[in-house]
């Protein structure tokens, strides 16, 4: 069966503790939700480093957390929804600010601190 596994990466840059977050979804052939988690965790532990130096020679610490696993099934009309999640604002942010946080992404200039040497 085909599963999707959602992963949250946290990048912490230098001593100023600047943080970036990346959400990735992996597709995995597995027999169960548990096996899909295990396969992705093993893969991430093998291929990802704990830290690296950026172009400013600052240490960038990298960590990951597996957030979710879900089965991926074809719809009858050939369209596949890969991921869906319902979220609710339980923070103190006003709704428009919360929506902006959910939908904003870094541009190329903002990603400069994550560039490796």
């Amino acid at each position: 069966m085909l599963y999707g596994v959602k992963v949250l990466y946290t990048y912490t840059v230098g001593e100023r503790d600047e943080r970036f977050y990346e959400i990735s979804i992996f597709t995995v052939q597995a027999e169960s939700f548990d096996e899909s988690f295990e396969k992705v965790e093993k893969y991430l532990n093998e291929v990802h480093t704990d830290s690296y130096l950026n172009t400013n020679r600052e240490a960038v610490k990298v960590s990951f957390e597996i957030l979710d696993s879900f089965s991926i099934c074809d719809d009858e009309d050939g369209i596949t929804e890969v991921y869906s999640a319902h979220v609710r604002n339980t923070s103190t942010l006003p709704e428009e600010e919360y929506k902006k946080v959910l939908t904003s992404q870094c541009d190329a200039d903002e990603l400069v601190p994550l560039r490796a040497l």
Side-chain angles (χ1 to χ4, degrees):
M1 178 155 211
L2 188 62
Y3 290 88
V5 178
K6 182 178 178 183
V7 176
L8 174 67
Y9 294 94
T10 302
Y11 300 87
T12 306
V13 179
E15 293 186 20
R16 64 182 184 270
D17 202 33
E18 183 178 14
R19 296 195 183 205
F20 293 82
Y21 300 94
E22 175 185 4
I23 296 172
S24 291
I25 297 176
F26 295 86
T27 57
V28 183
Q29 287 289 340
E31 297 298 318
S32 66
F33 290 106
D34 289 341
E35 185 184 0
S36 68
F37 265 77
E38 291 166 7
K39 282 185 166 185
V40 169
E41 184 173 40
K42 181 179 182 216
Y43 170 77
L44 292 174
N45 283 322
E46 289 174 358
V47 300
H48 286 292
T49 181
D50 292 336
S51 65
Y52 63 90
L53 290 179
N54 69 9
T55 55
N56 295 326
R57 299 200 178 278
E58 298 172 294
V60 178
K61 295 177 187 170
V62 184
S63 62
F64 67 85
E65 178 183 353
I66 298 174
L67 301 177
D68 196 6
S69 177
F70 47 92
S71 60
I72 298 176
C73 303
D74 283 334
D75 252 11
E76 58 193 51
D77 61 0
I79 296 174
T80 303
E81 181 177 60
V82 175
Y83 186 76
S84 174
H86 293 86
V87 295
R88 189 169 65 95
N89 184 0
T90 58
S91 74
T92 58
L93 291 173
E95 290 301 322
E96 284 305 311
E97 285 183 47
Y98 183 74
K99 181 179 176 187
K100 185 177 179 183
V101 168
L102 287 176
T103 59
S104 64
Q105 298 181 37
C106 295
D107 63 26
D109 291 336
E110 292 172 313
L111 291 173
V112 167
L114 296 182
R115 292 188 183 139
L117 272 176

